[in-house]
Amino acid sequence: MSSYNLDEVREMAGGDDEFMLVVVQTFLEEIPPDVAAMNEAIGNDNASLAYQYAHKMKPNLQLFGLELMDQIRVIEAWSKQGKRKDEVPDAAEKITQKVDVAAAELKQDFNL
C-alpha cells in the first residue's frame, strides 16, 4: 500500500498524465527541501520561519493525501501562539518520515 494518495492529483489533472507528472515532479523538487528547511528552523528555535515552511507545504501535503495536518497544526500553534512546543520535535519527525517515504515511492512509481 502506498504512503500517498493521488486521488486529488488525478482529479485536478482531469486525465492529463503529463500534467500529473509535472505535479509529482514539482512536489519532489519543492517539498523535501522545504521539510529540511523547516527542520533547520525548528532546530534554530525560529518559530516564524518554521511556520512559513509548514504553512507553505500544507496544500501539497493535503493534495498528496499524506494526512499530516495534525502535525502541521502543532508547528503552527507553536509559531503563532507559543503553544505545544514540547510536541514540535515529534510532529516534525512524523512530517519528515512521511514525506521521505512518499518521495521515495513517487520516484519509484513514476520512474524519476
Side-chain angles (χ1 to χ4, degrees), residues 60-111:
N60 283 301
L61 299 176
Q62 288 178 305
L63 183 65
F64 281 80
L66 295 183
E67 299 179 11
L68 290 166
M69 291 311 101
D70 289 344
Q71 290 76 24
I72 294 291
R73 280 192 278 279
V74 167
I75 293 167
E76 290 176 335
W78 167 58
S79 303
K80 289 296 183 188
Q81 300 144 1
K83 298 179 180 174
R84 301 178 77 174
K85 183 175 181 177
D86 58 324
E87 299 174 46
V88 168
D90 284 344
E93 180 63 25
K94 285 180 184 164
I95 292 168
T96 302
Q97 287 179 350
K98 201 150 193 185
V99 167
D100 286 350
V101 169
E105 289 177 358
L106 285 164
K107 286 177 186 174
Q108 183 176 351
D109 294 347
F110 284 85
N111 298 314

